[in-house]
Structures are given as C-alpha cells and as structure tokens.
Amino acid sequence: MRRRYPQLNIRLVDGFSGFINQWLTEGRLDIAILYDSQRSRAITAEVLAEEDLLLFARRRRAADLPGQEAVPLSALSRLDLILPDRQHGLRRALQRAGAHPDPRLLLEVDSLTAIRTLVERGIGWSVLPRAALTREAADRRYVLRGIGTPPLRARLMVALSPTRAVTPALRAVLAHLHAMVVRLQAGGVMTPPSPASLRPGG
C-alpha cells in the first residue's frame, strides 16, 4: 500500500471483535477486519471469506485428544480451554456451532498475546483461525487439530465505521484487502463464503 499510495497514512490497531466493533461505532477507526462480527444497522459489514478454526496447544498436551483426525465439537467440553469473552467473534463462532466449554475448565482472556503465552506455557488449549497459526503450524512443539466434520469455520468480515466518510483512500484500502483475500483463497488458507454466511443472520 505504501509503495502504491505514498501519501496514505496508515495506523494499525489490534484487538478482539467486541472491542473493534465499539471503536468502529465511536468513529475511532475507519475500517476493520473482524471474525463473525454481529451485524447491525450501525455498522456495515461484508463477509469476505471463511477460515477453518483450529485447536492448538503444546505437544505435551496431545494426550488430551488422542488421534490425528478432526475433533468433535463435544470434545471441547472436556478440555482446559483459554478463550476470549463471549462478545468476541471466535466465541460466537463456537457458540453458533454448538460448542459448550465447561465453565470449570474455561479460562476467559481478552488478550491474544496473553492467550498465546498461556498456551505456550502448557496451561491449556485455545482456538484460532488457520491463518493466525502459521508460526505454530511450523513449530514441532505444538499440536494443531481441526474441529468438527465438516470443519468449523469462522467468517472473515470487513466493516466500515458508520461515522466516517468513505474516502478515495478508504476505497483503495478496501480494494487492497479484497485482493489479499483472493490470494489467500487461491493458496488454500481461506475459502469463499458459503451462501448461508452471506444471508442476513447467517
């Protein structure tokens, strides 16, 4: 983007979907990439793609889930899970699929850095989209498992602030994001959105 649009000022902000939705509504951000964002009249959101959700943990916890095949959703209720609060997109994707973590085994953490640190220390399992786990997938100290058959997926969405104007700069960023998603789909990291995910409330 910098090479193509040298006058463009870019500021990146990281956070879970629940926080990002609030910042969009308040006009603190122009655009956001979210997982399973709650659609509302206040925020315009478009489904870009779908992405497999994977369980991951340190390999010493592999005995929690024997085998190599995808893990049934029911198995999540017996795992030590480290997940964000229910307002966040990844939790909504799990809830929509019918996953029921055991509250006695669940640790809710609203920081991606802290979740990764706790998993690294062997405290438990967590769930992230495939594209967020490239480092762990290449590290033999970790084990990654798919969830459900067919695989459990989260919707990757782009959302715009209702209080910010759609400027030429914002249109350029949107076009760049769409092109990136197309490349990721071609590489098998993401899949095109299903018809159900494109419907309101889908």
Side-chain angles (χ1 to χ4, degrees):
M1 288 295 293
R2 278 272 168 81
R3 286 195 298 269
R4 189 169 181 182
Y5 304 103
Q7 301 299 319
L8 188 66
N9 294 318
I10 300 173
R11 180 173 65 96
L12 297 178
V13 179
D14 182 28
F16 282 113
S17 299
F19 300 138
I20 298 294
N21 267 320
Q22 180 181 344
W23 298 337
L24 277 174
T25 302
E26 294 172 351
R28 295 167 61 185
L29 302 176
D30 292 289
I31 186 172
I33 299 295
L34 305 161
Y35 283 103
D36 273 72
S37 173
Q38 289 179 321
R39 302 187 200 187
S40 69
R41 294 180 180 177
I43 296 176
T44 302
E46 172 195 357
V47 181
L48 293 175
E50 293 184 352
E51 196 173 346
D52 289 356
L53 292 178
L54 302 178
L55 277 162
F56 73 106
R58 289 300 292 264
R59 187 162 294 278
R60 61 178 175 265
R61 297 198 66 108
D64 295 346
L65 295 170
Q68 300 294 324
E69 67 281 357
V71 177
L73 277 169
S74 58
L76 273 64
S77 64
R78 61 176 186 266
L79 294 177
D80 293 307
L81 287 176
I82 307 163
L83 298 171
D85 181 80
R86 293 184 182 186
Q87 67 176 314
H88 300 300
L90 294 178
R91 282 293 295 278
R92 282 199 298 274
L94 290 170
Q95 185 175 359
R96 195 177 67 243
H100 301 289
D102 187 335
R104 297 168 298 179
L105 303 176
L106 175 64
L107 179 59
E108 292 187 325
V109 180
D110 286 343
S111 163
L112 183 56
T113 300
I115 287 175
R116 287 187 183 276
T117 299
L118 290 166
V119 171
E120 182 180 3
R121 294 181 180 179
I123 302 300
W125 294 76
S126 192
V127 177
L128 282 176
R130 184 182 297 278
L133 291 169
T134 53
R135 183 186 68 184
E136 287 81 2
D139 190 332
R140 294 181 60 84
R141 296 175 301 168
Y142 288 87
V143 58
L144 280 67
R145 300 286 296 278
I147 306 171
T149 306
L152 177 61
R153 290 176 172 152
R155 298 171 297 187
L156 184 73
M157 308 176 80
V158 60
L160 303 180
S161 170
T163 63
R164 298 264 193 149
V166 180
T167 62
L170 185 53
R171 291 192 185 95
V173 172
L174 278 169
H176 185 74
L177 289 173
H178 279 90
M180 290 177 65
V181 168
V182 169
R183 289 198 297 270
L184 289 167
Q185 289 175 354
V189 177
M190 297 178 180
T191 61
S194 65
S197 72
L198 293 172
R199 291 196 298 265

